[in-house]
Amino acid sequence: MNRRKLLAAAAASAVVSGTARAAAAPPAKRAPNFIVVLCDDLGYGDCSLYGPGGLSTPHLEQMAREGVVATDYYSPANLCSPSRAGLLTGRYPVRTGLGYEVIMQQDDRGLPLSEVTIAKALKPAGYATALFGKWHLGHLGAAWPPTRHGFDAFFGIPYSHDMKPLALFESHAGSDETVRSEVDYPQLQEQFYSHAERFIEAHANQPFFVELALSAPHLPEHPHPGFDTQGYAGSYGAVVAEIDAMVGRLMAKLRALKLERDTVVVFTSDNGPWYEGSPGWLRERKGGGGFDGGYRVPFVAWAPGRLPAGKRTSSIMMGIDLLPTFVAMAGLPPLSGVELDGRDITSVLTKGAASPHEALILFDNEVPVAVRTQDWKYLDTLYYRGIKMPIGVFGYEELYDERGSRAENYSVSENHPDVVKAMKARLEAAKKAFAPYKHADIPQAFKTLNAQLGHIQD
C-alpha cells in the first residue's frame, strides 16, 4: 500500500468516527487523556529536578512546579526492550518473554499478541491510541507492526537509532502494511513530536492515549540544528535541551487546545544512562544489575486540576504501575484474566499516599537480583570487571538504607540482621516465583553476537 492510499484510509476512518462522535450525546464527565513521554537512556542526573549538578531543564522544572515529582520511581528493567514491555503491559518483563537483553536486528523475539497493552486496555472506554517513536518490542514476526497491539497509529523506528539498517515506518490499525521512509537523524525527535502533536489535535474531542517514545538521548547523539552543542555536556546536552523544549511545547499545545485539565502527562525514561549521561548520585548505570543507577529514573506527572501542583513523593513506584493506574483513572474496571504486577498509584499521585507495593523486584535479565521496599534495598549480585558476581558466596550481605537521599555505597547489614533475614527471604521467594519464566537458553541472536565479539575479550 502506498503512502497516499494509507493516509486516505486513515483520514476516512477519522471522518467516520468523528461524525459518530458528533451525533452522540456528550459524556457527563470526560475520561482523561494520557500522554507518556518516554525518553531513551535519560539518567536521574540528566535533568534539574533532583538536586544540583543536573543539566538545565527549565520546562521540566515548570512541569514539576505544576505537577508531581516522584523521587523513587523505577523503570521496569535496566535495559530497553524489557523496560518497554513492562511499561506497556503492567507486568514484570520476564512474564512477557522479553526479560533477556534487548531485541537485536536479527532477533525474532517480540511482544506476544496475547499481552494486554495500555492501548488495548483503554479501548473499551473509546480511546484513540498511538505510538510515535521507538518501538523495540519486535520487528520480524507477529509483534510487528505496533498497530497489532491496540494502537490506532504508529510512526517511528523498530529499534534504537544506533542499530543498522534503520528506517522510519508508518502504519494504521486495520492493516499490517507499513509505509517506509528514510531517516534524517537530526530531525528524528522532531518528527516523532510533530506526529504526536497532529494526532492530539485530530483527536481533541475524544479521549486518547499517546506514547511519545523518543529515541534520545540514547547514543549516538544527533542534535537538532539550533540547540547548542558547545556547552560542557556537548551534543548530549543539546539533545536533552531539545527534549526539554518539547515538554514545554507539549504543555503549551494542550493549553492552546484547552485540554490541560483533561490530560495526564507522564515524563520518564526507559532506564538509566548508558556510556554518557548522569545517574546523579545513584550507583551504576544502564545494565548495572540491581543498583539504582540503572533502574531509578526521572518521573513527573502533570495534570492541572487532577493532580496537585508542586508536590514530591518518595513512595516507591515502577513503570508497571502505569497500566492499572490509567485503567482506574479512565473509569474502567481492573483487568480480568491478566496477572498484573503493577498497582494503581492514583492515590499516591493525588493524595501523597503510601506506595501500594510492599516491595519491588529488580531483575538482571531474567533473574531477580534485588528487592526494594520503602525503607530498604537488598541485593545479592553485582558486576566486577565484566563478571557477574554472586556476592553472597563471599559472605557479603548488601543491605542499603533507602530512607532519605542515601547512595548505595555502604551496607548496613551488620546493624540490621533481622531486616537482612526478611529481605533475603523476599528475594529468594521472587527467584522461586519467576524461575519458571526463565528461558533454558539465550536467544540465537545473542549466541551469534557473543561469537562475533569473543575475540576482543582479554
mmCIF file of all heavy atoms in Angstrom, residues 62-99:
data_model
loop_
_atom_site.group_PDB
_atom_site.id
_atom_site.type_symbol
_atom_site.label_atom_id
_atom_site.label_comp_id
_atom_site.label_asym_id
_atom_site.label_seq_id
_atom_site.Cartn_x
_atom_site.Cartn_y
_atom_site.Cartn_z
ATOM 1 N N GLN A 62 9.168 23.555 35.183
ATOM 2 C CA GLN A 62 7.804 24.096 35.163
ATOM 3 C C GLN A 62 6.784 22.985 35.332
ATOM 4 O O GLN A 62 5.822 23.112 36.099
ATOM 5 C CB GLN A 62 7.542 24.840 33.855
ATOM 6 C CG GLN A 62 6.105 25.367 33.731
ATOM 7 C CD GLN A 62 5.765 25.841 32.328
ATOM 8 O OE1 GLN A 62 6.641 25.993 31.479
ATOM 9 N NE2 GLN A 62 4.493 26.052 32.077
ATOM 10 N N MET A 63 6.995 21.888 34.608
ATOM 11 C CA MET A 63 6.099 20.736 34.728
ATOM 12 C C MET A 63 6.069 20.247 36.171
ATOM 13 O O MET A 63 5.005 19.891 36.703
ATOM 14 C CB MET A 63 6.586 19.630 33.791
ATOM 15 C CG MET A 63 5.671 18.433 33.690
ATOM 16 S SD MET A 63 6.350 17.183 32.549
ATOM 17 C CE MET A 63 5.067 15.922 32.639
ATOM 18 N N ALA A 64 7.229 20.235 36.827
ATOM 19 C CA ALA A 64 7.302 19.798 38.217
ATOM 20 C C ALA A 64 6.583 20.760 39.143
ATOM 21 O O ALA A 64 5.898 20.342 40.086
ATOM 22 C CB ALA A 64 8.763 19.654 38.634
ATOM 23 N N ARG A 65 6.735 22.058 38.900
ATOM 24 C CA ARG A 65 6.037 23.048 39.737
ATOM 25 C C ARG A 65 4.528 22.905 39.631
ATOM 26 O O ARG A 65 3.795 23.206 40.573
ATOM 27 C CB ARG A 65 6.444 24.470 39.337
ATOM 28 C CG ARG A 65 7.860 24.863 39.737
ATOM 29 C CD ARG A 65 8.068 26.360 39.591
ATOM 30 N NE ARG A 65 7.909 26.816 38.219
ATOM 31 C CZ ARG A 65 8.893 26.867 37.311
ATOM 32 N NH1 ARG A 65 10.113 26.464 37.651
ATOM 33 N NH2 ARG A 65 8.662 27.302 36.092
ATOM 34 N N GLU A 66 4.070 22.421 38.484
ATOM 35 C CA GLU A 66 2.630 22.301 38.248
ATOM 36 C C GLU A 66 2.136 20.868 38.434
ATOM 37 O O GLU A 66 0.955 20.589 38.217
ATOM 38 C CB GLU A 66 2.301 22.776 36.831
ATOM 39 C CG GLU A 66 2.651 24.244 36.598
ATOM 40 C CD GLU A 66 2.466 24.670 35.144
ATOM 41 O OE1 GLU A 66 2.060 23.811 34.314
ATOM 42 O OE2 GLU A 66 2.720 25.843 34.832
ATOM 43 N N GLY A 67 3.026 19.973 38.838
ATOM 44 C CA GLY A 67 2.645 18.571 38.941
ATOM 45 C C GLY A 67 3.309 17.864 40.101
ATOM 46 O O GLY A 67 3.639 18.464 41.123
ATOM 47 N N VAL A 68 3.520 16.571 39.929
ATOM 48 C CA VAL A 68 4.051 15.708 40.983
ATOM 49 C C VAL A 68 5.350 15.070 40.502
ATOM 50 O O VAL A 68 5.394 14.463 39.428
ATOM 51 C CB VAL A 68 3.047 14.599 41.361
ATOM 52 C CG1 VAL A 68 3.613 13.706 42.460
ATOM 53 C CG2 VAL A 68 1.710 15.206 41.785
ATOM 54 N N VAL A 69 6.392 15.188 41.318
ATOM 55 C CA VAL A 69 7.676 14.559 41.032
ATOM 56 C C VAL A 69 7.832 13.338 41.931
ATOM 57 O O VAL A 69 7.623 13.425 43.142
ATOM 58 C CB VAL A 69 8.844 15.530 41.269
ATOM 59 C CG1 VAL A 69 10.183 14.813 41.100
ATOM 60 C CG2 VAL A 69 8.754 16.723 40.330
ATOM 61 N N ALA A 70 8.203 12.214 41.337
ATOM 62 C CA ALA A 70 8.494 11.015 42.117
ATOM 63 C C ALA A 70 10.010 10.887 42.252
ATOM 64 O O ALA A 70 10.727 10.921 41.253
ATOM 65 C CB ALA A 70 7.917 9.778 41.439
ATOM 66 N N THR A 71 10.471 10.740 43.469
ATOM 67 C CA THR A 71 11.909 10.603 43.702
ATOM 68 C C THR A 71 12.361 9.151 43.677
ATOM 69 O O THR A 71 13.545 8.880 43.493
ATOM 70 C CB THR A 71 12.287 11.206 45.059
ATOM 71 O OG1 THR A 71 11.583 10.506 46.100
ATOM 72 C CG2 THR A 71 11.941 12.689 45.121
ATOM 73 N N ASP A 72 11.439 8.209 43.847
ATOM 74 C CA ASP A 72 11.780 6.794 43.938
ATOM 75 C C ASP A 72 10.976 5.967 42.945
ATOM 76 O O ASP A 72 10.381 4.945 43.272
ATOM 77 C CB ASP A 72 11.551 6.287 45.362
ATOM 78 C CG ASP A 72 12.518 6.887 46.358
ATOM 79 O OD1 ASP A 72 12.500 8.119 46.559
ATOM 80 O OD2 ASP A 72 13.309 6.137 46.936
ATOM 81 N N TYR A 73 10.981 6.454 41.695
ATOM 82 C CA TYR A 73 10.332 5.739 40.593
ATOM 83 C C TYR A 73 11.373 4.853 39.912
ATOM 84 O O TYR A 73 12.487 5.291 39.629
ATOM 85 C CB TYR A 73 9.751 6.726 39.580
ATOM 86 C CG TYR A 73 9.335 6.085 38.277
ATOM 87 C CD1 TYR A 73 8.058 5.555 38.121
ATOM 88 C CD2 TYR A 73 10.219 6.001 37.207
ATOM 89 C CE1 TYR A 73 7.673 4.956 36.926
ATOM 90 C CE2 TYR A 73 9.845 5.395 36.010
ATOM 91 C CZ TYR A 73 8.570 4.887 35.879
ATOM 92 O OH TYR A 73 8.201 4.294 34.698
ATOM 93 N N TYR A 74 10.981 3.609 39.637
ATOM 94 C CA TYR A 74 11.871 2.645 38.993
ATOM 95 C C TYR A 74 11.317 2.262 37.619
ATOM 96 O O TYR A 74 10.120 2.005 37.465
ATOM 97 C CB TYR A 74 12.009 1.383 39.850
ATOM 98 C CG TYR A 74 12.857 1.590 41.084
ATOM 99 C CD1 TYR A 74 12.346 2.259 42.197
ATOM 100 C CD2 TYR A 74 14.171 1.147 41.130
ATOM 101 C CE1 TYR A 74 13.131 2.478 43.325
ATOM 102 C CE2 TYR A 74 14.968 1.343 42.254
ATOM 103 C CZ TYR A 74 14.441 2.013 43.348
ATOM 104 O OH TYR A 74 15.230 2.230 44.458
ATOM 105 N N SER A 75 12.203 2.232 36.629
ATOM 106 C CA SER A 75 11.811 1.680 35.338
ATOM 107 C C SER A 75 11.597 0.170 35.505
ATOM 108 O O SER A 75 12.136 -0.434 36.432
ATOM 109 C CB SER A 75 12.887 1.963 34.288
ATOM 110 O OG SER A 75 14.141 1.467 34.705
ATOM 111 N N PRO A 76 10.811 -0.450 34.630
ATOM 112 C CA PRO A 76 10.545 -1.882 34.792
ATOM 113 C C PRO A 76 11.760 -2.782 34.584
ATOM 114 O O PRO A 76 11.729 -3.950 34.951
ATOM 115 C CB PRO A 76 9.480 -2.158 33.721
ATOM 116 C CG PRO A 76 8.828 -0.842 33.477
ATOM 117 C CD PRO A 76 9.943 0.149 33.603
ATOM 118 N N ALA A 77 12.818 -2.246 33.988
ATOM 119 C CA ALA A 77 14.045 -3.011 33.786
ATOM 120 C C ALA A 77 15.192 -2.030 33.605
ATOM 121 O O ALA A 77 14.974 -0.826 33.405
ATOM 122 C CB ALA A 77 13.933 -3.929 32.566
ATOM 123 N N ASN A 78 16.414 -2.539 33.658
ATOM 124 C CA ASN A 78 17.571 -1.667 33.470
ATOM 125 C C ASN A 78 18.058 -1.655 32.029
ATOM 126 O O ASN A 78 19.139 -1.150 31.732
ATOM 127 C CB ASN A 78 18.713 -2.064 34.418
ATOM 128 C CG ASN A 78 19.197 -3.501 34.204
ATOM 129 O OD1 ASN A 78 18.977 -4.095 33.155
ATOM 130 N ND2 ASN A 78 19.862 -4.047 35.211
ATOM 131 N N LEU A 79 17.260 -2.211 31.131
ATOM 132 C CA LEU A 79 17.541 -2.225 29.694
ATOM 133 C C LEU A 79 16.265 -1.933 28.921
ATOM 134 O O LEU A 79 15.149 -2.108 29.437
ATOM 135 C CB LEU A 79 18.097 -3.579 29.254
ATOM 136 C CG LEU A 79 19.513 -3.938 29.714
ATOM 137 C CD1 LEU A 79 19.803 -5.389 29.370
ATOM 138 C CD2 LEU A 79 20.554 -3.027 29.092
ATOM 139 N N CYS A 80 16.439 -1.589 27.652
ATOM 140 C CA CYS A 80 15.373 -1.025 26.839
ATOM 141 C C CYS A 80 14.172 -1.933 26.574
ATOM 142 O O CYS A 80 13.064 -1.649 27.002
ATOM 143 C CB CYS A 80 15.968 -0.564 25.515
ATOM 144 S SG CYS A 80 14.768 -0.046 24.317
ATOM 145 N N SER A 81 14.361 -3.012 25.811
ATOM 146 C CA SER A 81 13.211 -3.837 25.419
ATOM 147 C C SER A 81 12.433 -4.373 26.617
ATOM 148 O O SER A 81 11.192 -4.264 26.651
ATOM 149 C CB SER A 81 13.654 -4.993 24.517
ATOM 150 O OG SER A 81 14.193 -4.513 23.310
ATOM 151 N N PRO A 82 13.108 -4.942 27.619
ATOM 152 C CA PRO A 82 12.345 -5.400 28.788
ATOM 153 C C PRO A 82 11.574 -4.271 29.469
ATOM 154 O O PRO A 82 10.419 -4.467 29.881
ATOM 155 C CB PRO A 82 13.421 -5.975 29.712
ATOM 156 C CG PRO A 82 14.559 -6.305 28.827
ATOM 157 C CD PRO A 82 14.536 -5.283 27.737
ATOM 158 N N SER A 83 12.191 -3.109 29.586
ATOM 159 C CA SER A 83 11.537 -1.985 30.247
ATOM 160 C C SER A 83 10.272 -1.573 29.512
ATOM 161 O O SER A 83 9.228 -1.325 30.120
ATOM 162 C CB SER A 83 12.505 -0.801 30.343
ATOM 163 O OG SER A 83 11.877 0.296 30.967
ATOM 164 N N ARG A 84 10.349 -1.496 28.186
ATOM 165 C CA ARG A 84 9.186 -1.088 27.390
ATOM 166 C C ARG A 84 8.069 -2.123 27.465
ATOM 167 O O ARG A 84 6.882 -1.778 27.480
ATOM 168 C CB ARG A 84 9.618 -0.830 25.948
ATOM 169 C CG ARG A 84 10.493 0.400 25.829
ATOM 170 C CD ARG A 84 11.287 0.480 24.534
ATOM 171 N NE ARG A 84 12.307 1.501 24.688
ATOM 172 C CZ ARG A 84 12.141 2.798 24.399
ATOM 173 N NH1 ARG A 84 10.974 3.212 23.885
ATOM 174 N NH2 ARG A 84 13.095 3.675 24.599
ATOM 175 N N ALA A 85 8.451 -3.397 27.509
ATOM 176 C CA ALA A 85 7.448 -4.453 27.663
ATOM 177 C C ALA A 85 6.729 -4.316 29.000
ATOM 178 O O ALA A 85 5.503 -4.435 29.083
ATOM 179 C CB ALA A 85 8.103 -5.827 27.542
ATOM 180 N N GLY A 86 7.496 -4.052 30.058
ATOM 181 C CA GLY A 86 6.903 -3.906 31.378
ATOM 182 C C GLY A 86 5.984 -2.706 31.481
ATOM 183 O O GLY A 86 4.900 -2.769 32.063
ATOM 184 N N LEU A 87 6.404 -1.583 30.900
ATOM 185 C CA LEU A 87 5.593 -0.365 30.971
ATOM 186 C C LEU A 87 4.257 -0.550 30.265
ATOM 187 O O LEU A 87 3.207 -0.154 30.778
ATOM 188 C CB LEU A 87 6.372 0.804 30.366
ATOM 189 C CG LEU A 87 5.719 2.192 30.478
ATOM 190 C CD1 LEU A 87 6.770 3.276 30.638
ATOM 191 C CD2 LEU A 87 4.850 2.504 29.250
ATOM 192 N N LEU A 88 4.277 -1.156 29.088
ATOM 193 C CA LEU A 88 3.040 -1.287 28.311
ATOM 194 C C LEU A 88 2.101 -2.351 28.851
ATOM 195 O O LEU A 88 0.882 -2.266 28.638
ATOM 196 C CB LEU A 88 3.365 -1.599 26.848
ATOM 197 C CG LEU A 88 3.723 -0.401 25.963
ATOM 198 C CD1 LEU A 88 4.063 -0.862 24.558
ATOM 199 C CD2 LEU A 88 2.571 0.611 25.917
ATOM 200 N N THR A 89 2.620 -3.352 29.561
ATOM 201 C CA THR A 89 1.765 -4.474 29.993
ATOM 202 C C THR A 89 1.433 -4.477 31.480
ATOM 203 O O THR A 89 0.559 -5.246 31.903
ATOM 204 C CB THR A 89 2.428 -5.817 29.656
ATOM 205 O OG1 THR A 89 3.642 -5.948 30.423
ATOM 206 C CG2 THR A 89 2.760 -5.916 28.174
ATOM 207 N N GLY A 90 2.143 -3.683 32.286
ATOM 208 C CA GLY A 90 1.902 -3.704 33.727
ATOM 209 C C GLY A 90 2.435 -4.952 34.398
ATOM 210 O O GLY A 90 2.043 -5.275 35.519
ATOM 211 N N ARG A 91 3.354 -5.656 33.723
ATOM 212 C CA ARG A 91 3.876 -6.925 34.227
ATOM 213 C C ARG A 91 5.401 -6.884 34.225
ATOM 214 O O ARG A 91 6.012 -6.215 33.384
ATOM 215 C CB ARG A 91 3.402 -8.071 33.322
ATOM 216 C CG ARG A 91 1.930 -8.357 33.460
ATOM 217 C CD ARG A 91 1.303 -8.925 32.175
ATOM 218 N NE ARG A 91 1.915 -10.138 31.640
ATOM 219 C CZ ARG A 91 1.638 -11.361 32.030
ATOM 220 N NH1 ARG A 91 0.756 -11.557 33.013
ATOM 221 N NH2 ARG A 91 2.203 -12.402 31.449
ATOM 222 N N TYR A 92 6.004 -7.596 35.173
ATOM 223 C CA TYR A 92 7.447 -7.723 35.111
ATOM 224 C C TYR A 92 7.813 -8.305 33.748
ATOM 225 O O TYR A 92 7.171 -9.274 33.279
ATOM 226 C CB TYR A 92 7.962 -8.606 36.240
ATOM 227 C CG TYR A 92 7.957 -7.927 37.592
ATOM 228 C CD1 TYR A 92 7.256 -8.476 38.670
ATOM 229 C CD2 TYR A 92 8.661 -6.742 37.805
ATOM 230 C CE1 TYR A 92 7.253 -7.857 39.921
ATOM 231 C CE2 TYR A 92 8.667 -6.112 39.047
ATOM 232 C CZ TYR A 92 7.959 -6.673 40.101
ATOM 233 O OH TYR A 92 7.962 -6.044 41.325
ATOM 234 N N PRO A 93 8.808 -7.749 33.081
ATOM 235 C CA PRO A 93 9.115 -8.145 31.698
ATOM 236 C C PRO A 93 9.326 -9.638 31.499
ATOM 237 O O PRO A 93 8.997 -10.173 30.431
ATOM 238 C CB PRO A 93 10.389 -7.353 31.392
ATOM 239 C CG PRO A 93 10.312 -6.155 32.280
ATOM 240 C CD PRO A 93 9.650 -6.629 33.533
ATOM 241 N N VAL A 94 9.853 -10.334 32.503
ATOM 242 C CA VAL A 94 10.112 -11.762 32.348
ATOM 243 C C VAL A 94 8.827 -12.524 32.031
ATOM 244 O O VAL A 94 8.851 -13.552 31.342
ATOM 245 C CB VAL A 94 10.804 -12.316 33.617
ATOM 246 C CG1 VAL A 94 9.841 -12.321 34.805
ATOM 247 C CG2 VAL A 94 11.379 -13.700 33.375
ATOM 248 N N ARG A 95 7.702 -12.034 32.488
ATOM 249 C CA ARG A 95 6.426 -12.706 32.202
ATOM 250 C C ARG A 95 6.071 -12.622 30.716
ATOM 251 O O ARG A 95 5.325 -13.465 30.204
ATOM 252 C CB ARG A 95 5.292 -12.070 33.009
ATOM 253 C CG ARG A 95 5.356 -12.257 34.512
ATOM 254 C CD ARG A 95 4.034 -11.819 35.126
ATOM 255 N NE ARG A 95 4.090 -11.661 36.567
ATOM 256 C CZ ARG A 95 3.895 -12.636 37.451
ATOM 257 N NH1 ARG A 95 3.668 -13.871 37.007
ATOM 258 N NH2 ARG A 95 3.943 -12.404 38.750
ATOM 259 N N THR A 96 6.549 -11.603 30.023
ATOM 260 C CA THR A 96 6.194 -11.394 28.613
ATOM 261 C C THR A 96 7.108 -12.158 27.665
ATOM 262 O O THR A 96 6.902 -12.139 26.447
ATOM 263 C CB THR A 96 6.261 -9.897 28.250
ATOM 264 O OG1 THR A 96 7.635 -9.475 28.217
ATOM 265 C CG2 THR A 96 5.489 -9.058 29.245
ATOM 266 N N GLY A 97 8.140 -12.805 28.215
ATOM 267 C CA GLY A 97 9.115 -13.492 27.380
ATOM 268 C C GLY A 97 10.225 -12.595 26.880
ATOM 269 O O GLY A 97 11.085 -13.028 26.106
ATOM 270 N N LEU A 98 10.220 -11.329 27.308
ATOM 271 C CA LEU A 98 11.221 -10.373 26.819
ATOM 272 C C LEU A 98 12.119 -9.872 27.946
ATOM 273 O O LEU A 98 12.541 -8.713 27.965
ATOM 274 C CB LEU A 98 10.521 -9.187 26.144
ATOM 275 C CG LEU A 98 9.741 -9.522 24.875
ATOM 276 C CD1 LEU A 98 9.086 -8.271 24.306
ATOM 277 C CD2 LEU A 98 10.636 -10.176 23.829
ATOM 278 N N GLY A 99 12.442 -10.736 28.874
ATOM 279 C CA GLY A 99 13.256 -10.320 30.007
ATOM 280 C C GLY A 99 14.747 -10.341 29.751
ATOM 281 O O GLY A 99 15.514 -9.793 30.555
#
